[in-house]
Amino acid sequence: MLKDDVTLTDEQKQVRALAREFAERELRPHAEEWDRDQTFDRGVVQKLAELGFLGMLLPPEYDGLGADVLTYVVALEQIAWGDASVAITMSVHNSLPAQMILKYGAEEQKRRWLPTMARGAVLGAFALSEAGSGSDAAALQAHAVRDGSGWILRGQKMWVTNGASADLVVIMCRTDRPGERRGPRGIGAFLVPTDSPGYKVGKKEDKMGMRGSETVSVVLEDVRLGRDALLGEPDKGFVYAMQSLQGGRLGVAAQALGIAEAALEHAIRYAGERRQFGRPIKDFQGLGFKLADMATRVEAARGLVYRAARAWDCGAQDPRLTGMAKLYASETAMWVTTQAVQVFGGYGYMKDYPVERLFRDAKVTEIYEGTSEIQRLVILRTLYQETTTEP
Ligand code: CAA
């Protein structure tokens, strides 16, 4: 049963309960099968849209729910509790393409894309990484050249979540000239409908975890786009991507929290059922202390993730706090799921029990949308800035 959280408003509690009920009914019963068969279920995406969860942060004028960031985070946490793969689909769609269009798009672009995204008719994706540019995102090579008033896009992208089923992908491409590379200041963000001639979905990755979410490579073979494909300024795409990744990272932090909470609950339940040496294993203090540590870390992670969301709601999109939330929540998810497998012992190592899947799902939260090392780098930079600017 969902525990009460007195720190949330009534509205936040309602959305949280709605997400939990949906996760229990529509996600948990299928999570094992989706993981085994690597099934991405577009029908579930439609159901998320019916709840308003695909336009959570969009204002009502674009058919969005107009929720605050904390409400979004608590919903995402519950969806991840049900199935982490569905949570990343929801997180990427809301935090990256939808927010990028809302923040940097022209009114015409907003009217064209946002209502359909909120209704789930258009699923969004985000393509930044390439084979040679992961953490060093500004080293990307895909490029856009002017074609009259429009653009032609060429190159390859990797690890695109939602990539095969998406209808619209925000793709970062170089707009600077080959002889005058400008690093992060020579990149544009383009709105690319996936039915554009030349947009080709490449390899579907066979992953360790999050197997119910699609991760694909994308090939851009002379994709011709009109002038309305460019988002904002032609050389600001990297900054837009970085700013939006802050929301993405908060989404991953909420997702990690949902995974950790699910693993903790499974471990507590199993510790009460499993008997060894004539008693339930929960009666051994060594194991009980492990559960206490797991619960404490989950609560600490939740405190940090909710604080980052509240700061955002108060107008402070603080990269340090978001980085800390993502770093701590993802490392907590990995630690808690590892302990949960240990509590289950030999059974935990088998696919028959969900902790094995949660353990695999947790790992990527330390990797995608900025590795733990990148989060530490972002945190460190702000620490140095603070100490050099303070008197
Ligand atoms: N908000 C706003 N602007 C930002 C910013 C932020 N959080 N971070 C950087 N910028 C701006 C800088 O101010 C700078 O702007 P100016 O040119 O105006 O000065 C510009 O962006 C360049 O910044 P840096 O000089 O810091 O760039 P850098 O090359 O040193 O890179 C980095 C910084 C933090 C290492 C960055 O490259 C990074 O975050 N790397 C990780 C990439 C990443 O997270 N990839 C995930 C891809 S998505 C994914 O995982 C798949 C999926 O679908 C889930």
Side-chain angles (χ1 to χ4, degrees):
M1 203 182 70
L2 188 59
K3 285 193 274 302
D4 188 24
D5 184 337
V6 291
T7 68
L8 299 175
T9 64
D10 287 345
E11 200 184 337
Q12 286 160 349
K13 285 181 189 176
Q14 276 167 16
V15 173
R16 181 169 173 260
L18 183 70
R20 175 63 155 242
E21 192 267 324
F22 178 79
E24 273 173 351
R25 185 168 36 86
E26 302 282 351
L27 306 180
R28 275 233 165 156
H30 305 289
E32 186 191 339
E33 177 202 332
W34 290 338
D35 171 67
R36 187 187 60 231
D37 301 340
Q38 294 202 78
T39 308
F40 174 82
D41 190 333
R42 184 72 193 243
V44 171
V45 172
Q46 199 47 48
K47 287 178 187 167
L48 285 174
E50 283 159 21
L51 295 175
F53 287 0
L54 291 191
M56 281 200 87
L57 299 171
L58 297 175
E61 60 183 298
Y62 302 116
D63 294 349
L65 217 55
D68 58 27
V69 177
L70 183 55
T71 305
Y72 169 59
V73 159
V74 296
L76 207 42
E77 178 187 349
Q78 296 308 320
I79 297 298
W81 175 90
D83 185 87
S85 294
V86 173
I88 195 62
T89 298
M90 175 174 153
S91 174
V92 165
H93 175 92
N94 275 286
S95 307
L96 297 169
Q99 280 303 298
M100 283 180 92
I101 297 171
L102 181 69
K103 278 194 190 147
Y104 312 112
E107 190 53 38
E108 218 175 306
Q109 290 169 321
K110 293 183 198 178
R111 298 246 163 254
R112 175 170 177 203
W113 293 112
L114 295 181
T116 49
M117 291 181 83
R119 292 198 299 270
V122 166
L123 179 65
F126 172 86
L128 176 67
S129 304
E130 298 180 3
S133 60
S135 289
D136 185 8
L140 65 88
Q141 293 295 317
H143 57 279
V145 290
R146 293 221 183 244
D147 172 40
S149 63
W151 299 87
I152 299 177
L153 270 48
R154 297 184 184 119
Q156 295 190 14
K157 291 289 173 184
M158 277 191 84
W159 302 311
V160 183
T161 303
N162 301 345
S165 299
D167 306 284
L168 176 73
V169 188
V170 179
I171 304 185
M172 269 47 72
C173 287
R174 306 218 68 84
T175 48
D176 48 9
R177 291 165 193 267
E180 303 163 10
R181 291 295 190 221
R182 299 177 59 227
R185 291 164 200 92
I187 294 169
F190 294 87
L191 302 176
V192 184
T194 55
D195 59 2
S196 307
Y199 177 94
K200 294 194 174 142
V201 174
K203 183 181 171 215
K204 180 177 173 184
E205 302 295 346
D206 187 5
K207 295 173 293 181
M208 173 194 286
M210 299 287 176
R211 290 168 60 82
S213 117
E214 281 176 349
T215 305
V216 301
S217 60
V218 164
V219 182
L220 305 166
E221 278 182 5
D222 287 346
V223 180
R224 283 173 195 278
L225 302 167
R227 68 193 320 171
D228 58 345
L230 178 69
L231 198 61
E233 305 285 323
D235 55 356
K236 289 272 169 53
F238 186 77
V239 177
Y240 301 159
M242 286 297 120
Q243 256 169 10
S244 307
L245 269 171
Q246 276 189 60
R249 288 166 183 172
L250 196 55
V252 174
Q255 181 196 28
L257 205 49
I259 296 171
E261 180 69 39
L264 172 65
E265 287 174 19
H266 284 302
I268 294 170
R269 196 172 310 122
Y270 184 79
E273 290 165 2
R274 175 72 171 163
R275 294 180 71 86
Q276 290 290 278
F277 305 102
R279 62 181 107 161
I281 57 172
K282 78 173 173 47
D283 290 351
F284 293 99
Q285 201 175 44
L287 192 126
F289 281 1
K290 188 189 286 296
L291 296 173
D293 286 346
M294 289 160 74
T296 304
R297 290 210 201 179
V298 170
E299 214 50 73
R302 182 172 290 118
L304 196 47
V305 175
Y306 286 14
R307 176 161 153 67
R310 285 196 173 100
W312 196 298
D313 284 327
C314 293
Q317 290 185 19
D318 183 350
R320 178 173 65 160
L321 213 44
T322 313
M324 286 175 174
K326 203 255 185 194
L327 173 65
Y328 192 76
S330 59
E331 294 195 344
T332 297
M334 199 62 242
W335 187 82
V336 168
T337 55
T338 305
Q339 301 312 313
V341 169
Q342 194 67 22
V343 169
F344 275 71
Y347 290 111
Y349 199 62
M350 304 300 145
K351 289 191 180 289
D352 303 335
Y353 289 87
V355 288
E356 183 269 347
R357 171 172 42 80
L358 293 168
F359 172 86
R360 287 185 286 107
D361 283 351
K363 183 60 206 170
V364 78
T365 64
E366 294 181 318
I367 297 173
Y368 60 20
E369 303 209 22
T371 60
S372 291
E373 290 72 22
I374 289 295
Q375 304 314 319
R376 288 189 169 90
L377 189 77
V378 169
I379 296 162
L380 194 59
R381 280 181 177 184
T382 62
L383 292 183
Y384 288 157
Q385 274 164 12
E386 278 169 13
T387 47
T388 50
T389 52
E390 291 288 314

